[in-house]
Amino acid sequence: MSTADAAGRSVWGSKLGFVLAASGSAIGLGNIVFFGANAYRFGGGAFYVPYFAALFLIGIPMMIVEMGLGQTQRKAFPSAMNRTSGKKGEFLAWWAQVNAIVIAMYYITILAWVGSMLVKSFGPLYADGANSVGPTFGGVLTSWMPVVFAFGIWALNAVFLSKGTKTIEGAVKIFVPLMWVFMALLVVRGLTLDNGLQGVWYLFTPNFDGITEAAVWQGAFSQMFFSLSLGLGTMTVYASYLPRKADVVTNGSMVGFMNCTFEFVAGLAIFSMLFAFTLYPGEGTGTLGMSLVVVPTGIANFPALQVMFAALFFFLMLIAGLTSSISIIEGPVASLKDKFGWSRAKAMALVIGLGAVGSVAFALPQVLELDGKPTQPLGLSLLELFDHWAFGYSLLIVGLVEAVLIGHVYGIEKLRAQLNANARFFKLGPWFDVLIKYVVPTLIGVVLLFNVLNELGVSIEALGIPGKGFYIGDNGEYFDGFEWGPSAVFGLWLGGTVVAAWLITRSGGYDHEEEGEA
Ligand code: TRP
């Protein structure tokens, strides 16, 4: 198996290698931690209409576009956008890369907490049965253990990225099949608990209550983008290592469906445990609380093998997250290589160096204590604020502008013809052009508009949409005494990412034709 093509660009050893890598990227914390929390927060059955709309009208089509861009241009996202839609496109793609680094920072901090909980599952986690779960997580958050883990996980990522496709393939060939096996064990255990099936009804019973709330739609759209690894050009980079004849229409759809199947199964596992033990996450349960506290609390009530199942659950999240984090980091690394002709080692040193420092900042255990009220660690507060912007907005903004540029400026008809030439099972019809040119931008645009109005506190009475004002997820109360925090983080995020993207786009580079692996 060769790992470089004639021009010296690294290529996947096999089609299976690519599918495993792309599904390893897609399946991650998004499918376990974020899906469970979002589906619960937005009311189970109420989440489906926007979720499926997002999958078929936006998710799969954009997956095909992002992969198609990489496969036809054989470049990372910024260079591929430059070649198809000029400097504007390149700027957008660099903005996405800067956001990818921010997302990698906190993604790995979350993995560091997961890793710490894995260690604790062999000790204090169930020292006092279900009662010791919450305090154990609290202890992890306020200790230095996650900082150590954050360094370790960045180091692991460096190992898996060190030889490009070759080392990535090595990792996903082991981890991706293992993920499915572990998830199967958990779902069988969950569904066979007394009352475990109750959770299935919660997840499946349609409910149209929340359907007019912009936040539910934004939640579903952001969830879909994040889960499918869209909006950062990740799939473009992975597909740029495909041979010219590869069929991304089929592969892209397949990866999309596999990801959502996994997500569904994960939802079943989580909801069956919650309902079997009537654990209703309280109002204050944040996104992380669901997977790191509520689910382990459910496992504590298992009739047997609690420690084994808890360790299995944390290990599953860890490997699912690892195969995703390597893809998030590969994006900016490959982008720098392609624009400046840097060696892999040099690009990795910059991205990983920056990223590791950021992860440590998010893992800092200092607890803010203001007005005599202990709140949560400063790092976690910062993480939630950055997540609000990077997760909630940047992926959707990139998706919207990308659809407009590829749809109208480059011409989606051109891309579709190139993709259809290699499509062996089904070809994309003209409906695909309509989706990319009009449907995707309109849907995302409307959702973003309502949310911005919502953040600004504008209520739209005719539609029954309340203006909530600047709100951060459902944990607004954590920011008592840290009022300047949200605005400062917003300014830092927007200013920092835009300026960095602008500087990189402006600096010449030489869109290096091809370079071998260093
Ligand atoms: N999809 C992954 C998850 O569900 C995370 C991820 C990997 C990602 N690459 C991405 C999210 C690119 C957005 C963009 O956990």
Side-chain angles (χ1 to χ4, degrees):
M1 264 189 304
S2 148
T3 52
D5 66 9
R9 191 173 184 82
S10 166
V11 291
W12 299 109
S14 66
K15 203 166 74 191
L16 179 70
F18 168 71
V19 171
L20 287 176
S23 59
S25 166
I27 300 172
L29 295 178
N31 304 57
I32 307 169
V33 179
F34 297 93
F35 178 77
N38 282 331
Y40 186 81
R41 163 141 54 111
F42 296 123
F47 199 55
Y48 281 120
V49 178
Y51 181 84
F52 280 112
L55 174 63
F56 291 107
L57 297 177
I58 303 179
I60 304 244
M62 287 304 285
M63 173 74 84
I64 296 175
V65 166
E66 288 206 357
M67 283 187 177
L69 257 180
Q71 194 238 352
T72 55
Q73 304 302 320
R74 302 176 62 77
K75 288 284 166 204
F77 198 40
S79 299
M81 285 302 283
N82 184 320
R83 292 174 171 209
T84 48
S85 45
K87 280 275 170 205
K88 279 195 250 14
E90 188 188 338
F91 169 75
L92 176 82
W94 279 114
W95 189 64
Q97 300 319 300
V98 181
N99 274 295
I101 298 178
V102 174
I103 290 180
M105 288 173 180
Y106 71 75
Y107 200 89
I108 288 183
T109 303
I110 299 175
L111 284 179
W113 289 325
V114 170
S116 307
M117 289 298 278
L118 173 61
V119 171
K120 299 282 183 196
S121 62
F122 297 104
L125 184 65
Y126 296 141
D128 186 16
N131 295 330
S132 41
V133 176
T136 303
F137 183 53
V140 161
L141 282 180
T142 49
S143 76
W144 288 93
M145 191 192 245
V147 172
V148 176
F149 262 96
F151 276 118
I153 292 168
W154 274 101
L156 267 180
N157 275 283
V159 171
F160 292 139
L161 288 171
S162 60
K163 295 255 156 38
T165 49
K166 196 167 145 204
T167 35
I168 296 175
E169 237 174 300
V172 296
K173 275 192 174 144
I174 301 169
F175 291 149
V176 175
L178 211 54
M179 256 142 61
W180 285 94
V181 173
F182 287 179
M183 189 42 94
L185 288 173
L186 283 168
V187 78
V188 168
R189 175 65 286 199
L191 294 178
T192 52
L193 290 167
D194 295 334
N195 294 325
L197 283 171
Q198 295 294 321
V200 179
W201 305 137
Y202 181 76
L203 206 54
F204 279 110
T205 309
N207 163 349
F208 298 101
D209 283 352
I211 204 148
T212 54
E213 275 187 43
V216 175
W217 286 81
Q218 188 199 21
F221 284 18
S222 306
Q223 169 66 32
M224 188 56 70
F225 263 73
F226 192 84
S227 187
L228 291 176
S229 300
L230 300 174
L232 298 181
T234 300
M235 290 301 179
T236 302
V237 185
Y238 269 13
S240 76
Y241 304 134
L242 277 172
R244 289 194 193 277
K245 291 258 159 257
D247 172 1
V248 298
V249 178
T250 309
N251 286 329
S253 316
M254 212 160 76
V255 169
F257 285 120
M258 283 199 303
N259 178 69
C260 292
T261 306
F262 192 98
E263 193 152 277
F264 237 81
V265 177
L268 289 180
I270 291 178
F271 282 88
S272 59
M273 288 180 220
L274 301 188
F275 281 78
F277 305 113
T278 53
L279 294 168
Y280 302 107
E283 280 285 306
T285 306
T287 305
L288 294 173
M290 182 89 157
S291 293
L292 295 178
V293 178
V294 183
V295 171
T297 304
I299 294 176
N301 294 310
F302 278 11
L305 300 175
Q306 296 90 343
V307 171
M308 188 203 87
F309 276 108
L312 197 80
F313 182 63
F314 291 124
F315 188 67
L316 165 65
M317 284 196 274
L318 197 60
I319 59 176
L322 260 173
T323 56
S324 299
S325 65
I326 55 181
S327 74
I328 307 179
I329 304 165
E330 175 66 11
V333 167
S335 301
L336 289 168
K337 286 179 71 222
D338 283 352
K339 176 159 177 140
F340 299 113
W342 288 4
S343 68
R344 169 165 288 272
K346 183 170 170 189
M348 275 177 55
L350 179 69
V351 174
I352 294 181
L354 262 176
V357 171
S359 288
V360 167
F362 288 132
L364 289 180
Q366 269 71 31
V367 175
L368 272 189
E369 235 171 284
L370 287 153
D371 305 331
K373 261 198 294 181
T375 56
Q376 61 179 15
L378 178 61
L380 178 56
S381 301
L382 287 174
L383 184 149
E384 286 176 349
L385 289 169
F386 273 101
D387 176 64
H388 178 76
W389 299 109
F391 173 86
Y393 286 88
S394 70
L395 306 180
L396 292 181
I397 293 173
V398 172
L400 189 158
V401 182
E402 183 187 351
V404 170
L405 289 175
I406 298 301
H408 299 270
V409 177
Y410 178 63
I412 186 65
E413 297 80 3
K414 212 184 316 173
L415 183 63
R416 181 163 65 88
Q418 289 169 310
L419 298 181
N420 276 344
N422 293 325
R424 279 178 282 281
F425 291 98
F426 66 96
K427 302 211 187 281
L428 301 169
W431 51 267
F432 191 75
D433 306 349
V434 177
L435 282 181
I436 302 300
K437 279 166 111 164
Y438 308 107
V439 178
V440 171
T442 310
L443 284 176
I444 300 181
V446 169
V447 162
L448 284 176
L449 179 71
F450 277 122
N451 277 285
V452 170
L453 291 176
N454 200 332
E455 304 248 10
L456 293 174
V458 178
S459 66
I460 307 162
E461 273 157 34
L463 294 175
I465 297 174
K468 292 199 202 122
F470 198 102
Y471 70 99
I472 300 296
D474 45 7
N475 295 331
E477 72 273 18
Y478 287 134
F479 298 99
D480 291 352
F482 185 45
E483 289 97 4
W484 51 271
S487 316
V489 167
F490 172 70
L492 203 68
W493 166 74
L494 191 67
T497 54
V498 167
V499 168
W502 180 72
L503 287 175
I504 305 175
T505 309
R506 216 180 62 126
S507 61
Y510 44 96
D511 193 13
H512 212 66
E513 204 25 63
E514 283 303 347
E515 70 286 335
E517 289 297 334

